[in-house]
Amino acid sequence: MQNVMTEQQTWSDNNVLLDAREQNVPRGIVTAHPLVIERAKGSEVWDVEGNRYLDFVGGIGVLNVGHNHPAVVNAVTKQLGLVSHACFQVVAYPGYIELAQRLNQLVGKGEAYKSVFFTSGAEAVENAVKIARAHTNRPGVIAFDGAFHGRTLLGVTLTGMSQPYKQNFGPFPSDIYRLPFPNPLHGVTEADCLKALDQLFAVQILPERVAAIIIEPVQGDGGFLPAGAAFMQSLRRITQQHGIMLICDEVQTGFGRTGTMFAFQQLGIQPDLVTVAKSLGGGLPISGVVGRAAMMDAPTPGGLGGTYGGNALACAAALAVLDLLEHDNLLERANQLGAQLNARLRQLAEKYACIGDVRGVGFMQAVEILDFETGKPDAALTQKILDSACQEGLLLIKCGLHRNTVRFLAPLVTTDSQLEEALHIFDIALARATGRLG
């Protein structure tokens, strides 16, 4: 018989709860840190035993405005007293329409754009592909090595990492093609990637059969690798030349993470479709596709939707998030924090030979951990660093093809003192993991 927790145990003991988790939750869903949190605020969380942690994961980039921001809480509370859920496919409600209008203005910048909402980032990606295929009447979709586009079957197919995402989950959907992504540290140039695209057109699929190229302006789970402006502009020229739609996956980069509302705004391009999720809802589940109006109208009535897509509570939260980003100087703050974080990480790279690279855009920063003797990715040392940081009170997670990159996704409301505290802890974690401390 499985153990049943008492109310007192539920609220006071990490180990009891984690034992219950082991018994009741499948192993396929991983929890990075052995903690059960009870409450959260801003950039801090407290576990059920009362221990405080700096949260520099932010729900994996979901909490750009921080945990439980009062403006988000108030907006959701007010909406809860009006309409919690109605399903937009049955009756419309103001929040959905207003949110669409605001995102269309933010992305389109005067051009005619439309928006549709879903629940998860993977749903947004899948529907972006549906829209692209409907508009072009073509099957092919091109994605990149190291990309992460979700855990649904099509999302996993588009994702450019075999483990842990693909496992034995195939067969996978067809007509998905892959290119290398620029990675200067490991010798992959932008020219290499564009040459690979020419080769793909020559030997695998004619450009006239490609519906879309989907790309993260900064790869998230792939290792916080930025796509340069020249590369993105080349892709835009090629896609326009061949009638291919360009989809920017801004699920992780969107809503201020890179210092602008969207990362593509720094790259001198205008995408056809943009997928959004994560920080849009300030902690509530909502995602969407924002795109050129004529393209968004390609699916016929009934072709798009989802029971919970654009839920009224999530729309209210999203509108509050947009207000905060536009009126609380959070974009400026993202750039300030990002510059401070990058500078301090570079100082640590001078101190610790295991840091092979420091990179990022805005407050989306990462360090890649290498074996200082061989120069190869060191996933084991990376995990030691994360474990040591957690023990000292700082939550971080890893990413990258070889899971050897530490990523920083702290809320944009993080204070200077919290950032300094986190970097002090990270310094200790590096020292401990590399043997400089006992």
Side-chain angles (χ1 to χ4, degrees):
M1 180 180 294
Q2 293 185 349
N3 294 330
V4 178
M5 293 180 291
T6 68
E7 184 175 348
Q8 182 179 5
Q9 288 173 320
T10 300
W11 290 100
S12 63
D13 195 318
N14 277 314
N15 290 332
V16 171
L17 277 162
L18 291 171
D19 286 345
R21 178 212 186 283
E22 187 74 18
Q23 294 174 17
N24 293 284
V25 180
R27 67 176 185 167
I29 181 165
V30 173
T31 301
H33 299 292
L35 305 173
V36 181
I37 68 165
E38 181 179 48
R39 60 189 177 92
K41 186 173 179 60
S43 299
E44 300 172 318
V45 299
W46 289 262
D47 69 14
V48 294
E49 298 174 8
N51 301 304
R52 168 189 171 271
Y53 296 85
L54 286 169
D55 181 7
F56 273 45
V57 183
I60 313 186
V62 168
L63 297 161
N64 285 357
V65 301
H67 288 276
N68 295 344
H69 194 290
V72 175
V73 173
N74 291 339
V76 173
T77 302
K78 179 180 178 181
Q79 184 62 47
L80 187 60
L82 298 171
V83 175
S84 62
H85 178 71
C87 185
F88 196 75
Q89 292 147 254
V90 178
V91 291
Y93 36 90
Y96 191 114
I97 299 167
E98 183 183 352
L99 181 60
Q101 183 179 47
R102 290 183 65 175
L103 286 176
N104 295 337
Q105 292 168 348
L106 286 169
V107 174
K109 297 295 185 183
E111 294 186 50
Y113 272 62
K114 291 188 175 183
S115 293
V116 60
F117 299 116
F118 307 100
T119 308
S120 69
E123 277 186 273
V125 166
E126 294 228 2
N127 280 278
V129 170
K130 287 166 58 178
I131 292 165
R133 285 174 168 169
H135 177 72
T136 62
N137 198 29
R138 302 173 179 181
V141 179
I142 297 172
F144 288 84
D145 294 345
F148 181 83
H149 296 297
R151 295 175 183 269
T152 56
L153 199 58
L154 179 58
V156 164
T157 308
L158 292 166
T159 291
M161 289 174 274
S162 57
Q163 286 289 40
Y165 303 116
K166 297 185 188 292
Q167 298 190 25
N168 59 343
F169 295 150
F172 298 105
S174 62
D175 292 302
I176 305 299
Y177 303 87
R178 196 164 306 286
L179 293 173
F181 192 90
N183 188 337
L185 181 66
H186 295 287
V188 182
T189 68
E190 294 179 358
D192 293 333
C193 301
L194 294 173
K195 183 177 179 180
L197 178 58
D198 287 340
Q199 183 76 357
L200 188 150
F201 286 156
V203 303
Q204 294 194 57
I205 184 171
L206 290 169
E208 292 77 15
R209 300 299 296 153
V210 177
I213 295 177
I214 184 168
I215 185 169
E216 299 161 278
V218 181
Q219 283 197 339
D221 203 49
F224 280 33
L225 294 167
F231 179 67
M232 291 295 289
Q233 290 167 21
S234 295
L235 284 183
R236 180 72 282 193
R237 284 193 297 270
I238 291 166
T239 53
Q240 289 174 332
Q241 176 185 350
H242 295 291
I244 298 168
M245 291 173 64
L246 181 63
I247 304 171
C248 280
D249 183 342
E250 295 255 11
V251 167
Q252 189 163 151
T253 51
F255 305 103
R257 175 53 52 181
T258 64
T260 48
M261 190 67 77
F262 302 102
F264 79 81
Q265 294 169 333
Q266 303 177 41
L267 301 173
I269 63 157
Q270 183 66 28
D272 298 307
L273 303 179
V274 177
T275 58
V276 296
K278 286 191 182 288
S279 275
L280 172 60
L284 273 72
I286 185 170
S287 67
V289 182
V290 187
R292 298 182 190 274
M295 298 174 177
M296 295 292 288
D297 279 338
T300 57
L304 302 176
T307 301
Y308 294 103
N311 169 270
L313 298 177
C315 286
L319 289 167
V321 167
L322 293 182
D323 286 342
L324 290 167
L325 288 167
E326 291 176 8
H327 303 302
D328 279 22
N329 296 318
L330 290 183
L331 300 181
E332 180 182 348
R333 185 65 179 153
N335 287 307
Q336 292 171 350
L337 288 166
Q340 293 173 36
L341 176 58
N342 183 273
R344 291 282 282 107
L345 291 175
R346 291 189 182 280
Q347 290 176 359
L348 291 173
E350 293 292 324
K351 183 177 179 180
Y352 297 98
C354 64
I355 298 180
D357 195 22
V358 176
R359 57 178 178 259
V361 182
F363 204 30
M364 185 176 184
Q365 298 286 327
V367 296
E368 183 163 349
I369 305 300
L370 305 177
D371 184 301
F372 70 91
E373 292 182 347
T374 66
K376 294 181 178 179
D378 196 333
L381 178 57
T382 304
Q383 189 59 51
K384 287 181 181 179
I385 294 167
L386 296 178
D387 291 342
S388 296
C390 179
Q391 291 167 10
E392 296 293 328
L394 172 63
L395 304 183
L396 297 163
I397 56 171
K398 58 192 174 185
C399 62
L401 277 175
H402 304 287
R403 318 319 281 172
N404 68 310
T405 300
V406 179
R407 53 177 156 173
F408 292 77
L409 284 168
L412 309 185
V413 296
T414 299
T415 65
D416 290 345
S417 62
Q418 287 172 332
L419 181 59
E420 280 304 312
E421 181 185 358
L423 287 163
H424 176 67
I425 293 173
F426 191 55
D427 190 352
I428 293 172
L430 286 162
R432 189 155 287 156
T434 57
R436 292 195 182 190
L437 291 178

